[in-house]
Amino acid sequence: MHASVGDHLVVMGQHVGDHMREAEIIEVSHPDGSPPYLVRWSDSDHESLVFPGPDAHIEPASH
């Protein structure tokens, strides 16, 4: 997984009833764009450091 600042991290729910979550990537720790990512969650504006799992994917920012 590789991302850039401004891309969106989308995490799908793993269980019935789980909701999808989306976050804007605000910092990428490694030059090659690999995790972890500092993100701002769209549903709460909370910032957290994320190591995405297999239920996550990156949506490139629209420029």
Side-chain angles (χ1 to χ4, degrees):
M1 181 175 292
H2 299 283
S4 300
V5 171
D7 289 349
H8 286 255
L9 176 69
V10 178
V11 181
M12 304 305 290
Q14 292 186 347
H15 306 287
V16 174
D18 286 351
H19 298 284
M20 176 190 76
R21 292 191 75 195
E22 186 173 347
E24 179 183 1
I25 296 173
I26 57 176
E27 184 179 305
V28 177
S29 300
H30 301 286
D32 66 354
S34 62
Y37 307 122
L38 182 62
V39 302
R40 181 177 301 116
W41 295 102
S42 61
D43 59 355
S44 65
D45 278 339
H46 179 78
E47 294 180 6
S48 60
L49 187 65
V50 177
F51 293 82
D55 57 339
H57 67 274
I58 301 294
E59 291 186 357
S62 54
H63 294 276

